[in-house]
Amino acid sequence: MATIKRIAMVTGGMGGLGEAICIKLAKLGNTVVTTYSPSNTKVQKWLKAMNEQGYHFYAYPCDVTDFESCQACIRKMTEDLGPVDVLVNNAGITRDMTFKKMDKINWDAVMHANLDSCFNMTKQVCDGMMDRGWGRVINISSVNGQKGAFGQTNYSAAKAGMHGFTKALALEVARKGVTVNTISPGYIGTSMVMAIPKEVLDSKIIPQIPMGRLGKPEEVAGLVAYLASEEAAFVTGANIAINGGQHMQ
C-alpha cells in the first residue's frame, strides 16, 4: 500500500501486537521506529532477532507517560532519521480489579499509560504533519472501551477516552491532510491475553466471540497498515472494531 517511503513510529512496538504492526509497516516499505521503556534490558536482543528476520528497526527509549521524555525521544529520533509521518499509539497497560478494590495508584497508572500517552506523543508530531500536509495518527483502543468490562473501570475509561481524543483532533487537522483514527481490537492472541487462565478463555471469553477464536496480531496490523496508507486518506475520526463480532455497533 505504501508508495512513498514514510517514517512510522509505533509506541510499545516490542510486544505481540506492537511487533506485528512494526513488521507489517516495514514490509510496506516504511522506516519503522519503536519506543521502549528505559528500564527494558532486552532491546538489543529484540533488535538483533528482528534483524535476523530481515527487519531493520530503530528503537528509542521513552517513558510515554512523561511529556518531557516523549519530547526528548522525538527530538532525537527526528535528528537521526527525519520527522514522523505515521504515529501508532499502541503502548498500554492493564491493572485489573473491581472498583471497590481499586486505589488511586492503579487508576492513575492506567490513565497515564493508555490515555495521557496519546497526548504526550501526538503533541510532538502533529504540528509537523500539518505543516507537511500529510500525516496519520492511529490510536489502539479496545473493545472494552466500547462496551465496558468487569474489573476494568480504569482501562475502559482510558480506552474510551482515546476515541474522544481521536474525534476531536480529527476535526482540527482534517483540512491539513492529517487523519486520526481509532482501532478497537477484541481479544487478540497476544502474551497479555494468553496470560489469562485457559479455563477462563475457553469458558468465558471465546464463547462470547461469534467467530469462536481469538484474533491474530497480524489481522490488527493489516488494519493499521490500511489506515496508514494513501488509500485511507478519506477515513478520519473513525473507530474501527476488529473483534470477531463480539461487540457490534
Side-chain angles (χ1 to χ4, degrees), residues 147-182:
K147 70 178 186 60
F150 187 93
Q152 286 196 327
T153 51
N154 50 4
Y155 186 79
S156 296
K159 291 298 190 180
M162 289 177 80
H163 188 53
F165 173 83
T166 287
K167 291 187 288 185
L169 183 57
L171 288 171
E172 295 182 17
V173 301
R175 290 185 179 273
K176 298 293 186 177
V178 180
T179 68
V180 190
N181 290 288
T182 303

Side-chain angles (χ1 to χ4, degrees), residues 54-227:
Y55 305 112
H56 183 62
F57 297 144
Y58 299 88
Y60 288 80
C62 183
D63 177 359
V64 296
T65 71
D66 181 83
F67 185 83
E68 292 183 356
S69 178
C70 294
Q71 203 171 37
C73 171
I74 296 297
R75 185 187 305 117
K76 180 69 168 74
M77 192 227 82
T78 302
E79 289 172 358
D80 293 345
L81 303 172
V84 173
D85 300 300
V86 177
L87 173 65
V88 183
N89 285 310
N90 170 70
I93 62 171
T94 56
R95 295 289 185 272
D96 295 352
M97 61 196 72
T98 61
F99 190 69
K100 182 179 179 65
K101 295 179 180 178
M102 189 171 296
D103 55 22
K104 187 72 163 58
I105 292 172
N106 285 293
W107 173 271
D108 285 346
V110 170
M111 296 303 285
H112 293 333
N114 295 355
L115 184 55
D116 291 354
S117 60
C118 286
F119 172 82
N120 293 341
M121 291 300 294
T122 308
K123 186 66 176 174
Q124 315 307 327
V125 302
C126 193
D127 285 355
M129 290 177 178
M130 288 192 290
D131 290 344
R132 295 189 303 277
W134 200 97
R136 301 286 186 265
V137 177
I138 303 164
N139 299 316
I140 307 298
S141 181
S142 166
V143 64
N144 292 342
Q146 297 177 299
K147 70 178 186 60
F150 187 93
Q152 286 196 327
T153 51
N154 50 4
Y155 186 79
S156 296
K159 291 298 190 180
M162 289 177 80
H163 188 53
F165 173 83
T166 287
K167 291 187 288 185
L169 183 57
L171 288 171
E172 295 182 17
V173 301
R175 290 185 179 273
K176 298 293 186 177
V178 180
T179 68
V180 190
N181 290 288
T182 303
I183 293 175
S184 289
Y187 286 89
I188 308 299
T190 62
S191 57
M192 184 185 294
V193 171
M194 298 311 292
I196 298 171
K198 188 175 186 301
E199 60 271 19
V200 175
L201 277 174
D202 291 344
S203 65
K204 294 186 177 180
I205 293 176
I206 291 179
Q208 297 176 25
I209 304 171
M211 286 191 173
R213 67 171 176 87
L214 299 175
K216 299 175 183 178
E218 295 77 13
E219 292 168 329
V220 179
L223 182 52
V224 172
Y226 167 68
L227 291 176

Side-chain angles (χ1 to χ4, degrees), residues 43-61:
V43 179
Q44 294 307 317
K45 182 179 179 181
W46 181 81
L47 288 171
K48 183 174 182 290
M50 290 293 101
N51 195 49
E52 289 171 353
Q53 295 178 43
Y55 305 112
H56 183 62
F57 297 144
Y58 299 88
Y60 288 80

